[in-house]
Amino acid sequence: MPAIEVSALTKTFRQGKNTVEAVKGVDLAVASGELVALLGPNGAGKSTTLRMLTTLLRPTSGSAHLGGWSIADDPERVRSVIGYVGQGNGAGHNQRVREELITQGRCYRLSKAEAVSRADELIDALDLQALVDRKVGTLSGGQRRRLDIALGIVHGPSIIFLDEPTTGMDPQSRANLWDHIGRVRDRTGATIVLTTHYLDEADAMAERVVVIDSGTVIADDTARHLKDTLAGDQIILRTTDPEAATAVGEIAARFGGVTVGAVDGDVVTLRASGGDALLPVVLRSAADAGVDVRAAELMRPTLDDVFLALTGRSLRESGTATATGSAPAA
Ligand SMILES: Nc1ncnc2c1ncn2[C@@H]1O[C@H](COP(=O)(O)OP(=O)(O)OP(=O)(O)O)[C@@H](O)[C@H]1O
């Protein structure tokens, strides 16, 4: 049984005379222990989907089961098996880190002894040892995010939702937080679903990427498979002059699955999956035909190329996604 099973989930908001179809029929199955990233531009419906799955918002139609429990029929049970870490944080500023974790455990009805042992376990998993006696209000952004995650999973949920856990952090803090998320997953075997604006992060860290656009899932696969099948590699070949570039393009076009772009001066650009295998073959064929290729560059596609191939738009242009860490320091 999948940890999360979502079928034809929709949410329509009504505001006066206007209706917004925020989620238009999302289907999703996440296996137990999987780490899945939801990716999509602003307003795609990611947060609304997450809020429905975490029982914070009632769906307009469709169904979802988490750990076998229905969000419509058994919201209490659903809440007992999930942890949700939103973008804001709920911890009191004057509490100390360890105290705050123990208090949170008690809120989840853990006994005092259980709450203490769980707090210490999470302090270890999320590297909070040096901070246990610090007041929450004095933590840095990155430290605070680690505490938020600890607070959100203090009751030992088997399914964890993280809404943009790394937004606004510098690249080093993001990498560090990912290490911790991985460590939590390895230790607990929890299923993790998160949203992120960082394309490179979803690419490198998530086992599966679910791309959401205009309220529907438009792609759902490993980042590698999405890139190979939907975007392909880019090969840039520099020759001696426009005639040579055109000739290389014609040679490359004889191979199956190659798209030849417009010649630009002495440069021609090809797109194909398996570019690393194709490149030497094209170079050999060009040499056999007496055409001189002076430089060759192979570029692997990014998830933004995937989004572009699917929608004709760039995720980056939407102002949502970031390929590299240019965010302010945490
Ligand atoms: N309470 C609400 N009332 C009316 N419209 C809403 C409400 N909540 C969300 N929406 C609309 O639903 C759509 C989806 O919003 P949602 O927050 O789910 O997108 P998102 O993918 O999470 O975007 P972001 O990356 O910006 O957080 C948007 O058009 C948004 O304006």
Side-chain angles (χ1 to χ4, degrees):
M1 180 185 66
I4 303 174
E5 206 161 17
V6 181
S7 175
L9 199 65
T10 75
K11 181 70 193 179
T12 304
F13 293 107
R14 293 215 157 68
Q15 280 190 323
K17 286 181 189 157
N18 299 329
T19 56
V20 180
E21 284 184 86
V23 177
K24 296 181 190 162
V26 162
D27 296 309
L28 187 65
V30 181
S32 185
E34 241 186 320
L35 203 171
V36 175
L38 303 186
L39 197 67
N42 285 128
K46 304 179 298 292
S47 299
T48 306
T49 302
L50 227 59
R51 286 170 64 212
M52 288 192 280
L53 297 184
T54 51
T55 74
L56 296 172
L57 196 63
R58 188 178 279 275
T60 304
S61 65
S63 67
H65 289 80
L66 286 90
W69 302 108
S70 155
I71 55 168
D73 304 334
D74 302 294
E76 288 287 331
R77 301 266 199 179
V78 168
R79 267 175 243 148
S80 72
V81 297
I82 65 169
Y84 173 65
V85 182
Q87 292 180 41
N89 36 52
H93 280 232
N94 277 321
Q95 281 259 50
R96 291 177 199 279
V97 166
R98 187 163 177 272
E99 265 168 42
E100 181 75 10
L101 274 165
I102 295 169
T103 308
Q104 183 87 351
R106 298 288 281 158
C107 290
Y108 278 106
R109 303 204 187 104
L110 299 184
S111 70
K112 180 84 204 257
E114 280 169 339
V116 167
S117 107
R118 182 72 182 147
D120 289 338
E121 207 178 288
L122 289 168
I123 285 165
D124 187 38
L126 288 151
D127 236 344
L128 296 165
Q129 295 93 334
L131 308 170
V132 285
D133 290 324
R134 285 268 294 277
K135 287 194 174 172
V136 171
T138 68
L139 301 181
S140 75
Q143 294 167 338
R144 184 61 198 250
R145 228 42 92 77
R146 292 201 322 261
L147 174 62
D148 287 338
I149 292 177
L151 290 169
I153 64 176
V154 80
H155 54 304
S158 57
I159 303 170
I160 302 171
F161 293 96
L162 305 172
D163 199 1
E164 292 181 24
T166 54
T167 292
M169 295 169 81
D170 65 88
Q172 201 180 340
S173 305
R174 288 203 278 133
N176 178 276
L177 190 68
W178 269 100
D179 281 348
H180 288 99
I181 291 172
R183 192 154 12 144
V184 166
R185 206 268 298 261
D186 292 345
R187 286 192 187 192
T188 62
T191 308
I192 301 183
V193 176
L194 56 88
T195 61
T196 178
H197 285 170
Y198 298 110
L199 295 166
D200 55 344
E201 190 170 279
D203 195 343
M205 306 297 183
E207 285 152 3
R208 222 172 98 199
V209 178
V210 175
V211 186
I212 298 187
D213 188 38
S214 303
T216 53
V217 174
I218 58 168
D220 177 355
D221 211 326
T222 61
R224 189 190 176 103
H225 198 243
L226 288 175
K227 289 186 295 183
D228 282 350
T229 53
L230 293 169
D233 298 327
Q234 204 177 12
I235 296 174
I236 302 168
L237 300 171
R238 181 174 296 279
T239 62
T240 48
D241 50 60
E243 289 71 36
T246 305
V248 177
E250 285 166 4
I251 290 166
R254 287 186 216 136
F255 299 97
V258 179
T259 308
V260 182
V263 169
D264 180 11
D266 56 0
V267 172
V268 64
T269 302
L270 317 175
R271 262 202 190 274
S273 61
D276 42 358
L278 178 74
L279 179 56
V281 182
V282 171
L283 291 179
R284 216 174 304 129
S285 303
D288 289 348
V291 182
D292 190 9
V293 178
R294 297 196 162 165
E297 191 181 353
L298 174 69
M299 296 204 298
R300 298 286 294 154
T302 65
L303 284 178
D304 196 41
D305 295 322
V306 169
F307 192 77
L308 191 65
L310 286 166
T311 66
R313 306 189 321 272
S314 164
L315 258 175
R316 272 173 221 158
E317 280 162 15
S318 76
T320 310
T322 313
T324 52
S326 54

